[in-house]
Amino acid sequence: MDSNWLSYSLSDFLMFGPEVFLRLFVRINQDIWPWQGIAVIMVVAIGALLVRGDILARRGILLLMAAAWLWSGAGFLMEYYGPVNLPATWFGWAFVLQGALLTVVALVWRWDTVAEQSAMARWSSGIGWVVIMGLSPLLTVAQSGNWHSVALFAVTPHVTALGAVPCMLVLPRRIRWLFLLLPLVWGLFSVATLWTLGTRVLVVIPAATLALAVLALLFSPRRAQNRG
Amino acid sequence: MATELTRRKFLMALAATGLSLRLPSLMAASTGETITRTIPSSGETLPAIGMGTWRTFNVGGDQYLIDQRTDVLKTFFDLGGTLVDSSPMYGSAAEVMGEALDTLNARDKLFSATKIWTGDGDATREQDRASRRKWGIERFDLQQVHNLVAWQAHLETLQQMKANGEVRYVGITTSHGRRHGDFERIMEAEPLDFVQLTYNVLDREAEERLLPLARERGIAVIVNRPFQGGSLFQRFQSEPLPSWAGEAGCGNWAEFFLKFILSHPAVTCAIPATTKVEHMKENMGAMVGPLPDEQQRSQMADYVAGL
Ligand SMILES: NC(=O)c1ccc[n+]([C@@H]2O[C@H](COP(=O)([O-])OP(=O)(O)OC[C@H]3O[C@@H](n4cnc5c(N)ncnc54)[C@H](OP(=O)(O)O)[C@@H]3O)[C@@H](O)[C@H]2O)c1
């Protein structure tokens, strides 16, 4: 009986094909049109808040990030992805929980002081983040050849998780790890799923999420931590 | 259900789909009757090609893809197919099947086969009910214990359900060559109408014990993964068919793979899955024309092994 498990491969657990997966992005874009504008505004707003960098800006980043977890979890994961892939529903709940927790932290956490960052560092992190969030949605387009499959931050989970990891650096180190666990597990799950699905171009996003989450867990830059 | 499939009906269906115009070779091959098989426990006739739904029909709420899969199912029925196999394990496939059947209004053409797939041995009836609701049918033609999960309890309930007329046939399934020892013991001990297992030109373990046992015990055999989940095409489609393929009744690789299976005397039905109307037409082409004989069968296996 046990040796039977050795005869299973990842593809035995994959219940759907690449066509179905790539159409999830097309479908959600059709259904939410023209509300994609909100996702674009969220990206620009988080970029601007990263440039500003003070405590109020940090609360704003966390609140916007919380909204992104909630939207992509309750929308894409539960409504679109879940019906064809059961674990996606479980991740949907995890995304919603992450969003709820982050909202609480954003509202109640007391930063006594935050480390000063040079203007150069703030501008490069803000602009860098916006550029990555602007380019990574295009990978689904490259994979499918269809502009309607663009995978926006806050709407779709893969880009949301990627964008979340650098944003978690605004959290004090004490609680940061808690919010890096989901990107880590989601990254692992998505790398395995997208690789098995054969949508190899898309693997870049969860692989980068995974790598960044590991780096953030192992090396937490002191400048971002709570000194209070 | 028990659809009477005549050659005339089949040719009319071909003409209706326009297939006869596009595939003259299929028409030429269809000078014989379409290939049907008898279910040993009842004597009922079944077309020898059925349809699987793993992955292919799990499209969620995507109306565009539901319509597209409905076309695949329509082609299957039009070309004389009846047996559709699914499982509660296949995500949204059962709901999609129900919607496609609604659209086509084709439940009278259907031989419905699904599975019980739960570790809870008391949940047989509950899962059967849930599946019936999704398919929109009053009872399944065939209920199978999926991968032998909690098989004792499920089989006992299914036999009671059969006795009450709540299901017509009862079976068990495995795939990928797994648990053949247990499978064999159950085939020997239990009164089964059907077994479902993996058999194709590369995966031939079933030839050793299970297929002969099925003949001996009068159990119908459904063959899953006839294309090894599609990998047979990936490996061999770029290769030429052997020059003698026509003599064995095979005009393309789909027919080659399927007719190898159907020509085993124990096999009742193969259930290839596809997302494409064109592939469905190719696969249904294996239901007409001559089947390879014993010598051609070993030639086929040798040819593929040598590629
Ligand atoms: N344990 C169990 O009970 C069990 C296990 C496995 C399978 N099953 C049943 O058996 C069914 C069949 O097995 P399967 O779906 O795993 O594999 P399969 O039928 O061997 O292969 C399906 C694949 O073959 C491709 N294909 C089909 N016709 C083709 C053609 N004419 N030309 C080129 N490619 C073609 C399909 O791709 P396209 O979509 O591109 O055509 C699909 O990817 C399942 O759907 C399921 O119902 C049961």
Side-chain angles (χ1 to χ4, degrees):
Chain A
M1 182 62 194
D2 280 348
S3 64
N4 263 299
W5 285 104
L6 299 176
S7 68
Y8 285 87
S9 66
L10 273 179
S11 66
D12 292 327
F13 298 95
L14 197 69
M15 306 161 56
F16 54 96
E19 181 192 26
V20 173
F21 179 72
L22 290 168
R23 275 197 47 83
L24 299 176
F25 298 88
V26 176
R27 287 169 60 207
I28 199 164
N29 279 327
Q30 278 168 354
D31 293 352
I32 67 168
W33 177 259
W35 297 100
Q36 282 88 345
I38 291 183
V40 175
I41 292 167
M42 284 169 78
V43 168
V44 175
I46 290 179
L49 292 168
L50 282 168
V51 171
R52 203 175 123 162
D54 60 10
I55 290 178
L56 201 63
R58 287 173 182 229
R59 292 197 197 282
I61 291 168
L62 295 180
L63 281 174
L64 286 170
M65 215 33 256
W69 285 116
L70 287 166
W71 190 6
S72 57
F76 189 96
L77 285 174
M78 287 190 190
E79 291 294 317
Y80 292 81
Y81 198 8
V84 294
N85 194 17
L86 188 60
T89 307
W90 306 331
F91 273 108
W93 284 109
F95 272 48
V96 167
L97 188 70
Q98 176 105 332
L101 270 179
L102 208 52
T103 308
V104 174
V105 169
L107 294 177
V108 305
W109 192 267
R110 290 188 55 206
W111 281 270
D112 297 331
T113 55
V114 290
E116 273 295 311
Q117 276 181 297
S118 67
M120 172 77 169
R122 284 185 281 114
W123 274 96
S124 49
S125 62
I127 290 173
W129 192 85
V130 170
V131 168
I132 290 170
M133 290 300 97
L135 291 180
S136 50
L138 300 179
L139 286 177
T140 39
V141 178
Q143 180 76 58
S144 70
N146 180 355
W147 278 102
H148 295 137
S149 67
V150 65
L152 292 178
F153 170 80
V155 177
T156 62
H158 305 81
V159 173
T160 300
L162 175 63
V165 178
C167 287
M168 291 307 101
L169 295 182
V170 306
L171 278 171
R173 196 204 294 226
R174 254 182 288 168
I175 53 164
R176 187 184 305 150
W177 65 271
L178 184 66
F179 293 95
L180 289 170
L181 291 182
L182 181 57
L184 197 76
V185 180
W186 168 256
L188 271 173
F189 169 79
S190 297
V191 165
T193 307
L194 298 179
W195 185 263
T196 313
L197 201 58
T199 50
R200 304 280 156 93
V201 175
L202 290 186
V203 174
V204 173
I205 300 175
T209 308
L210 199 59
L212 287 177
V214 169
L215 283 176
L217 275 169
L218 293 180
F219 313 102
S220 286
R222 297 198 66 79
R223 61 185 159 78
Q225 71 179 327
N226 181 13
R227 288 188 187 155
Chain B
M1 68 117 264
T3 307
E4 199 54 31
L5 183 76
T6 61
R7 174 173 171 258
R8 193 181 141 76
K9 263 192 189 172
F10 183 77
L11 293 179
M12 278 168 62
L14 277 186
T17 57
L19 187 59
S20 56
L21 297 176
R22 267 169 278 147
L23 289 177
S25 63
L26 190 77
M27 281 297 283
S30 68
T31 46
E33 292 294 318
T34 58
I35 301 165
T36 58
R37 290 288 157 77
T38 303
I39 302 168
S41 67
S42 69
E44 181 180 342
T45 302
L46 212 51
I49 301 289
M51 186 183 89
T53 56
W54 165 242
R55 264 187 211 147
T56 51
F57 271 64
N58 180 24
V59 302
D62 190 332
Q63 198 54 52
Y64 169 82
L65 291 181
I66 293 172
D67 292 346
Q68 201 277 339
R69 299 308 189 261
T70 304
D71 289 343
V72 172
L73 183 67
K74 180 179 186 312
T75 309
F76 173 68
F77 286 141
D78 285 347
L79 296 179
T82 64
L83 188 149
V84 175
D85 174 78
S86 193
S87 169
M89 186 193 153
Y90 300 172
S92 59
E95 282 103 330
V96 172
M97 183 52 59
E99 201 171 328
L101 288 168
D102 281 345
T103 307
L104 298 175
N105 192 17
R107 288 189 174 81
D108 57 329
K109 294 180 181 162
L110 173 72
F111 185 100
S112 52
T114 193
K115 308 186 187 95
I116 299 293
W117 181 67
T118 162
D120 179 355
D122 295 327
T124 322
R125 277 199 160 81
E126 192 184 317
Q127 198 166 70
D128 176 75
R129 206 175 306 125
S131 296
R132 279 190 281 123
R133 198 178 52 244
K134 289 175 186 171
W135 285 61
I137 56 177
E138 276 169 26
R139 68 170 176 180
F140 279 101
D141 291 301
L142 169 61
Q143 262 294 12
Q144 308 154 96
V145 181
H146 198 154
N147 288 349
L148 304 185
V149 175
W151 67 268
Q152 281 106 329
H154 292 316
L155 215 46
E156 199 182 316
T157 312
L158 287 176
Q159 296 295 7
Q160 286 166 11
M161 288 171 63
K162 184 182 162 189
N164 297 343
E166 295 168 72
V167 63
R168 296 178 61 224
Y169 299 105
V170 169
I172 55 173
T173 82
T174 185
S175 67
H176 300 72
R178 292 178 189 127
R179 296 184 69 180
H180 276 198
D182 294 334
F183 212 73
E184 186 180 340
R185 280 187 285 282
I186 301 169
M187 285 172 73
E188 274 164 352
E190 301 286 334
L192 299 171
D193 300 302
F194 277 84
V195 289
Q196 184 184 136
L197 46 79
T198 297
Y199 177 54
N200 58 56
V201 71
L202 288 187
D203 301 316
R204 298 176 58 192
E205 195 189 325
E207 279 175 2
E208 286 162 27
R209 303 185 69 86
L210 298 185
L211 291 176
L213 182 61
R215 279 192 92 185
E216 189 188 313
R217 299 269 298 150
I219 303 173
V221 176
I222 295 177
V223 170
N224 62 37
R225 294 177 54 84
F227 303 137
Q228 214 182 44
S231 65
L232 291 185
F233 287 106
Q234 280 153 26
R235 285 170 71 175
F236 302 121
Q237 203 160 31
S238 57
E239 304 285 346
L241 277 176
S243 55
W244 42 264
E247 292 155 37
C250 308
N252 54 43
W253 276 112
E255 288 177 13
F256 186 98
F257 298 137
L258 291 172
K259 286 197 171 185
F260 175 83
I261 295 166
L262 298 187
S263 58
H264 192 289
V267 170
T268 309
C269 176
I271 48 168
T274 181
T275 57
K276 299 186 177 72
V277 168
E278 284 311 311
H279 287 171
M280 176 55 79
K281 288 175 180 171
E282 277 184 14
N283 299 347
M284 296 308 276
M287 271 226 300
V288 287
L291 283 176
D293 59 25
E294 197 46 52
Q295 191 213 331
Q296 287 167 326
R297 279 174 55 78
S298 44
Q299 249 183 311
M300 289 166 99
D302 291 346
Y303 181 76
V304 167
L307 285 177

